[in-house]
Amino acid sequence: DAKTTQPTSMDCAEGRAANLPCNHSTISGNEYVYWYRQIHSQGPQYIIHGLKNNETNEMASLIITEDRKSSTLILPHATLRDTAVYYCIATGRDNTGKLIFGQGTTLQVKP
Amino acid sequence: ETGVTQTPRHLVMGMTNKKSLKCEQHLGHNAMYWYKQSAKKPLELMFVYNFKEQTENNSVPSRFSPECPNSSHLFLHLHTLQPEDSALYLCASSQPGTGDGNTIYFGEGSWLTVV
């Protein structure tokens, strides 16, 4: 799996877009970018994943640069309930769930 | 509600006790996992079961003994644990071979305290 680098922490005002960056400069051609988040004291929650095209679902959007060396998770209208640790993981698409979680980014949404 | 249920949510046990953590998934998945999350540490994968067969043991001490009687149930039997084993134990499932093997659904976790 490619190594990913994320900022340790970020703040965002409630109602504004939260943009969480992830660097994965050594990602290989068949590795996807996955995002999970973990709200305090709960199990991690899958958010979104993508290969090279931008992706959007009901939770978030994922923007992957053309060279695939970095990506940004966008929460369009952050709420207090989005306060969590966000994990960016680069791995083969069917790696049978053997995900390696790093330290992630702690996002604090403030009123 | 993620479709993965873990019991108990909280467990306190002595170092000489034997206890078990239980996990059940209602998603029809064929892969199940145990992860461990110690205080201020990243999640660590412990075991992987694929179609009831153990396919990964991430150098976990033998005082942790997993059991997967069928694709929907997973247990983690605990005996002779140490205080440093106190952690959040997370069960998860996914459906390998569909292209979504890495879309993992986690339970709420079992908080274990060893005294």
Side-chain angles (χ1 to χ4, degrees):
Chain A
D1 294 356
K3 178 177 164 54
T4 60
T5 304
Q6 300 176 251
T8 302
S9 63
M10 293 181 63
D11 290 343
C12 177
E14 188 178 20
R16 305 296 294 268
N19 298 287
L20 293 97
C22 179
N23 181 286
H24 33 78
S25 57
T26 62
I27 195 169
S28 63
N30 65 347
E31 288 184 316
Y32 283 64
V33 179
Y34 284 79
W35 284 84
Y36 281 77
R37 73 179 182 183
Q38 187 174 23
I39 296 170
H40 183 62
S41 300
Q42 297 182 19
Q45 177 189 25
Y46 165 80
I47 302 173
I48 198 168
H49 73 277
L51 181 63
K52 55 182 178 181
N53 296 322
N54 297 338
E55 302 287 344
T56 295
N57 63 21
E58 65 278 4
M59 289 182 68
S61 295
L62 174 61
I63 308 298
I64 303 174
T65 58
E66 193 168 341
D67 63 9
R68 303 210 323 120
K69 292 185 176 182
S70 66
S71 60
T72 301
L73 179 75
I74 301 173
L75 308 178
H77 305 286
T79 71
L80 299 179
R81 286 175 294 189
D82 292 320
T83 292
V85 180
Y86 287 77
Y87 300 99
C88 168
I89 302 167
T91 188
R93 184 173 187 182
D94 210 1
N95 201 24
T96 322
K98 293 183 285 186
L99 300 181
I100 298 173
F101 288 80
Q103 297 286 358
T105 295
T106 299
L107 174 69
Q108 181 74 48
V109 181
K110 298 186 174 182
Chain B
E1 177 58 51
T2 64
V4 180
T5 304
Q6 291 187 241
T7 54
R9 291 295 318 279
H10 298 272
L11 176 64
V12 179
M13 60 184 290
M15 290 188 283
T16 58
N17 291 160
K18 289 185 179 182
K19 297 286 184 183
S20 297
L21 305 181
K22 178 184 175 182
C23 176
E24 181 175 3
Q25 57 97 358
H26 307 276
L27 301 169
H29 291 163
N30 287 307
M32 295 188 76
Y33 317 86
W34 281 115
Y35 280 82
K36 174 185 177 182
Q37 188 170 33
S38 303
K40 302 198 184 292
K41 288 186 178 180
L43 281 82
E44 302 170 58
L45 178 64
M46 300 174 72
F47 300 103
V48 178
Y49 276 82
N50 218 337
F51 292 92
K52 303 189 299 176
E53 299 298 320
Q54 187 183 117
T55 56
E56 182 108 357
N57 176 336
N58 200 17
S59 303
V60 180
S62 59
R63 58 186 183 270
F64 295 93
S65 175
E67 178 190 1
C68 189
N70 55 60
S71 292
S72 299
H73 293 85
L74 186 64
F75 296 88
L76 188 63
H77 303 300
L78 316 168
H79 64 97
T80 325
L81 294 193
Q82 304 298 312
E84 58 265 29
D85 295 321
S86 299
L88 177 65
Y89 289 85
L90 290 155
C91 175
S93 72
S94 72
Q95 186 64 326
T98 62
D100 285 325
N102 290 326
T103 304
I104 301 176
Y105 294 84
F106 286 84
E108 294 296 313
S110 293
W111 285 97
L112 173 67
T113 302
V114 182
V115 296

